[in-house]
């Protein structure tokens, strides 16, 4: 319908299209009873009129006939928006990626991060809902879990978290971080020293070290623990006579400066040698 005014006309927008083969209108709700199929060129064997009562796909963009490495759909967002937003209001999947043999189902890259899991909910081990092997969950504490056996709640393995040590990295060869024989002299009972872990990068949470005591007097013990905290009451190595030499491999937490505190206890003293074997991060 057209209205006539002073130098201008008014055109009423047509109703949203519903019938097969009608045009799609930008800025309007469009309803369809059949699948909509968009192809590059012509592809045999495709039936674009499949009814949505039997066809699960509402819109199919098919670019297999491209002469280059073509994409089916591209989405570009801006600011904190998303290029493509996939959502399921029910128990389905927000975004599904599949690929033929030899191809990749989902590929992600990013200037800040390749992939982000949004933390939420309780740890899956304490839940009762059903899960399938292969699921990954980031709980509200920031811990990352992988389901290895399906069930309710299934069997889970913790991949990472604020309280986990992380992956172990072996140094190409052990690095000597400390040798009291080179200057500080024997460590006597009741005293401790802060030792920087040579060869350990920032962000490490713990180290694996070889600890040797030699030139002991009387008896005593040696304890390693995170630098900057009060001695927690542990011991890693003990001696019981003068003139002994012992060695152990042990693990200790480190602080943000990669410092380990070494404390001697008992009535005696000992020389201390520490070699870094690897670290966790």
């Amino acid at each position: 319908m057209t209205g006539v005014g002073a130098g201008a006309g008014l055109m009423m927008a047509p109703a949203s299209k519903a019938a097969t083969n009608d045009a799609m209108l930008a800025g309007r709700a469009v309803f369809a009873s059949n699948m909509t199929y968009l192809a590059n060129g012509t592809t045999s064997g495709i039936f674009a009129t499949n009814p949505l009562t039997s066809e699960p796909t509402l819109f199919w963009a098919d670019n297999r006939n491209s002469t280059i490495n073509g994409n089916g759909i591209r989405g570009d967002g801006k600011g904190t928006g998303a290029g493509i937003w996939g959502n399921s209001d029910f128990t389905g999947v927000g975004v599904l990626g599949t690929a033929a043999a030899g191809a990749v189902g989902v590929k992600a890259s990013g200037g800040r991060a390749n992939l982000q899991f949004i933390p939420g909910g309780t740890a899956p081990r304490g839940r009762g809902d059903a899960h399938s092997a292969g699921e990954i969950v980031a709980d509200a504490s920031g811990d990352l879990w992988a389901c290895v056996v399906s069930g309710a709640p299934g069997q889970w393995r913790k991949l990472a978290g604020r309280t986990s040590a992380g992956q172990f990295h072996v140094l190409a060869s052990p690095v000597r971080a400390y040798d009291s024989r080179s200057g500080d002299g024997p460590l006597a009972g009741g005293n401790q020293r802060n030792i920087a872990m040579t060869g350990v990068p920032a962000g490490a949470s713990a180290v694996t070290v070889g600890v040797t005591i030699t030139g002991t007097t009387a008896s005593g013990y040696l304890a390693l623990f995170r630098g900057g905290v009060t001695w927690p009451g542990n011991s890693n190595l003990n001696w019981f006579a003068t003139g002994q030499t012992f060695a152990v491999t042990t693990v200790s937490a480190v602080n943000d400066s990669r410092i380990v505190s070494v404390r001697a206890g008992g009535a005696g003293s000992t020389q201390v040698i520490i070699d870094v074997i690897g670290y966790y991060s």
Side-chain angles (χ1 to χ4, degrees):
M1 180 179 70
T2 303
V4 179
L10 176 65
M11 179 69 72
M12 299 297 292
S16 298
K17 301 299 182 179
T20 300
N21 294 327
D22 280 346
M24 295 181 66
L25 299 175
R28 295 288 186 271
V30 179
F31 301 91
S33 57
N34 291 5
M35 177 184 73
T36 299
Y37 177 74
L38 174 64
N40 182 338
T42 58
T43 303
S44 60
I46 299 301
F47 301 95
T49 57
N50 289 348
L52 296 176
T53 53
S54 59
E55 168 59 56
T57 302
L58 178 63
F59 182 82
W60 184 350
D62 189 347
N63 201 13
R64 284 176 290 178
N65 282 342
S66 174
T67 57
I68 60 175
N69 292 322
N71 301 308
I73 294 178
R74 170 173 171 167
D76 291 281
K78 184 177 182 180
T80 58
I84 295 178
W85 178 10
N87 176 69
S88 175
D89 286 334
F90 301 97
T91 57
V93 178
V95 175
L96 174 65
T98 62
V104 178
V106 175
K107 185 177 181 180
S109 65
R112 188 180 71 184
N114 294 72
L115 188 65
Q116 179 186 6
F117 293 95
I118 301 174
T122 60
R125 284 178 175 173
R127 292 159 53 175
D129 53 333
H131 294 272
S132 299
E135 291 182 9
I136 296 179
V137 170
D139 66 28
S141 298
D143 294 332
L144 194 64
W145 302 84
C147 183
V148 294
V149 177
S150 301
Q155 295 184 21
W156 294 84
R157 299 290 183 269
K158 188 175 181 180
L159 302 177
R162 289 178 293 179
T163 60
S164 63
Q167 292 294 319
F168 180 61
H169 304 265
V170 181
L171 299 182
S173 60
V175 175
R176 179 144 298 177
Y178 182 70
D179 188 342
S180 64
R181 299 171 301 177
S182 301
D184 290 339
L187 181 61
N191 294 290
Q192 70 183 48
R193 294 168 184 167
N194 293 324
I195 310 301
M197 295 292 99
T198 307
V200 177
S205 59
V207 289
T208 295
V209 292
V211 183
T212 302
I213 58 173
T214 189
T216 61
T217 63
S219 63
Y221 61 86
L222 201 69
L224 279 71
F225 52 96
R226 188 180 188 271
V229 303
T230 303
W231 173 54
N234 66 310
S235 68
N236 300 84
L237 185 57
N238 298 268
W239 72 92
F240 53 88
T242 297
Q244 291 185 316
T245 297
F246 290 117
V248 297
T249 299
T250 189
V251 177
S252 175
V254 299
N255 65 13
D256 292 342
S257 298
R258 287 88 77 195
I259 299 294
V260 168
S261 292
V262 181
R263 179 184 178 88
S269 64
T270 184
Q271 300 282 8
V272 180
I273 304 164
I274 300 178
D275 296 311
V276 179
I277 298 170
Y279 62 91
Y280 293 87
S281 65

